[in-house]
């Protein structure tokens, strides 16, 4: 019986060797066994890949809907319909929500720079990176198309552009610095050294809010190629587009180097689960746990038992 089959037969909540063992640990054990590597972990089973890609597209859709929508709504209704601080903080709150509601499905990358960093770190398989990036691009483009259809186009609203008097090269350097911080927070909170689980959403969202509040006037604080290039594609404005592609990717590479200096090589159990999600590893689609029906009335109180009355 395979390791995956044994894991499925175990009762919910039991710690299995499947959960504790990383993909690199499985490699030596799989030599000479046909298809052993691809079947050791359900993450490598393509039957769940559609769910993961849908999660990435959906999460990125909501992120760009909020990030680009703040500026577009503000331009549509004028004045401070959406205050500047709200436009900076709203994407951070959306990322926090996305990590909490679908992080276990796909890892909630929502950003090609994050997918690149996880792959370089050894927490995410390279063969899945192109599909993740494509799903993120689709989510971004669909979000901007929906905004355009609902509230129309209003100049450069929704785009990430260098601030007044800021050159594309300065915006590039700014995006590199901001992304180093973002990806460092993501890799750090995902590591086994921290083991903070879903509380990582607070750290990641908090950093995005902080970076937006002080960094947005310089470059827009994108830190995400698809957040910038999706609106650029739909709205047809490619001003300084290369800075918002190269900056986050370069920042992600530097952050991976920082992570190696701080914690050594990646690829551990916690890092891989955070990067890949736990779908097919610790849980499977379908009903989780036995359903419980709420009683119509409290249970009868036994003689001498006062606990029932206090409930």
């Amino acid at each position: 019986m395979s390791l995956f089959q044994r894991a499925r037969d175990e009762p919910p909540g039991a710690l299995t060797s499947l959960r504790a063992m990383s993909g690199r640990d499985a490699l030596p054990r799989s030599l000479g066994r046909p298809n052993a590597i691809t079947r050791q972990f359900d993450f490598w089973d393509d039957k769940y890949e559609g769910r993961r890609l849908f999660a990435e597209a959906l999460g990125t859709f909501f992120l760009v809907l909020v990030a680009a929508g703040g500026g577009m709504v503000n331009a549509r209704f004028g004045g401070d319909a959406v205050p500047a601080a709200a436009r900076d903080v709203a994407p951070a709150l959306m990322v926090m929500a996305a990590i909490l509601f679908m992080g276990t499905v796909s890892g909630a990358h929502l950003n090609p720079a994050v997918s690149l960093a996880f792959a370089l770190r050894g927490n995410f398989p390279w063969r899945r990176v192109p599909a993740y990036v494509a799903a993120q691009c689709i989510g971004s483009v669909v979000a901007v198309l929906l905004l355009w259809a609902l509230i129309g186009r209003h100049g450069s609203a929704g785009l990430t552009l260098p601030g007044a008097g800021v050159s594309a090269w300065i915006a590039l350097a700014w995006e590199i610095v901001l992304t180093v911080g973002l990806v460092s927070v993501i890799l750090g909170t995902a590591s086994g050294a921290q083991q903070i689980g879903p509380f990582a959403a607070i750290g990641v969202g908090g950093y995005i809010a902080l970076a937006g509040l002080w960094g947005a006037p310089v470059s827009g604080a994108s830190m995400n190629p698809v957040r910038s290039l999706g609106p650029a594609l739909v709205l047809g404005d490619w001003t300084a587009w290369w800075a918002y592609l190269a900056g986050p990717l370069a920042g992600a590479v530097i952050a991976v180097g920082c992570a190696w200096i701080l914690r050594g090589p990646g690829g551990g159990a916690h890092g891989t689960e955070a990067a890949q999600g736990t779908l097919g590893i610790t849980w499977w689609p379908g009903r989780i746990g036995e359903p419980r029906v709420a009683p119509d009335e409290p249970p009868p109180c036994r003689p001498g038992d006062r606990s029932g009355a206090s409930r």
Side-chain angles (χ1 to χ4, degrees):
M1 181 181 294
S2 71
L3 192 60
F4 170 67
Q5 290 171 325
R6 291 202 308 271
R8 292 191 66 115
D9 293 338
E10 288 192 6
L15 178 63
T16 69
S17 58
L18 174 64
R19 299 178 191 178
M21 185 171 62
S22 71
R24 293 189 300 180
D25 296 328
L27 182 58
R29 303 172 188 228
S30 62
L31 297 177
R33 295 166 55 192
N35 299 322
I37 296 176
T38 59
R39 296 302 174 187
Q40 286 289 348
F41 296 98
D42 213 25
F43 182 82
W44 295 87
D45 193 330
D46 290 338
K47 68 184 178 182
Y48 289 149
E49 187 66 357
R51 295 178 188 270
R52 299 185 184 100
L53 296 180
F54 177 76
E56 284 297 305
L58 181 65
T60 309
F61 166 82
F62 282 123
L63 170 59
V64 177
L65 190 72
V66 170
M72 296 177 72
V73 169
N74 199 57
R76 167 65 176 81
F77 294 100
D80 287 324
V82 183
R87 297 197 296 271
D88 295 333
V89 173
L93 297 177
M94 189 66 251
V95 169
M96 291 174 61
I99 292 173
L100 292 173
F101 92 81
M102 44 78 76
T104 58
V105 179
S106 69
H109 298 191
L110 316 181
N111 184 341
V114 175
S115 299
L116 173 65
F118 276 137
L120 288 172
R121 185 77 176 135
N123 294 332
F124 192 76
W126 280 102
R127 74 181 185 91
R128 293 192 181 272
V129 172
Y132 263 52
V133 173
Q136 293 157 5
C137 291
I138 291 171
S140 175
V141 169
V142 172
V144 182
L145 286 173
L146 179 62
L147 289 168
W148 194 0
L150 293 178
I151 59 178
R153 175 176 178 173
H154 303 277
S156 61
L159 298 169
T160 48
L161 299 171
V166 176
S167 69
W169 288 101
I170 295 297
L172 169 67
W174 202 256
E175 287 294 314
I176 291 174
V177 172
L178 293 181
T179 308
V180 169
L182 172 62
V183 176
S184 294
V185 170
I186 292 172
L187 295 179
T189 55
S191 72
Q194 301 298 125
Q195 298 187 31
I196 62 176
F199 288 104
I202 299 175
V204 175
Y207 179 86
I208 294 173
L210 179 62
L213 287 171
W214 74 272
V218 178
S219 68
S222 173
M223 301 174 281
N224 186 338
V226 298
R227 184 268 174 263
S228 296
L229 300 186
L233 176 63
V234 174
L235 301 178
D237 188 335
W238 294 93
T239 302
W241 66 271
W242 55 272
Y244 297 98
L245 174 63
L249 296 181
V253 173
I254 296 172
V256 171
C258 294
W260 188 88
I261 294 172
L262 293 171
R263 292 179 295 278
H270 289 278
T272 53
E273 287 189 0
Q276 301 172 10
T278 54
L279 172 60
I281 299 176
T282 62
W283 66 279
W284 294 266
R287 181 180 296 152
I288 298 177
E290 293 298 325
R292 294 188 234 177
V293 180
D296 295 329
E297 56 187 31
C301 182
R302 295 190 299 271
D305 183 7
R306 297 173 177 242
S307 60
S310 63
R311 296 185 189 133

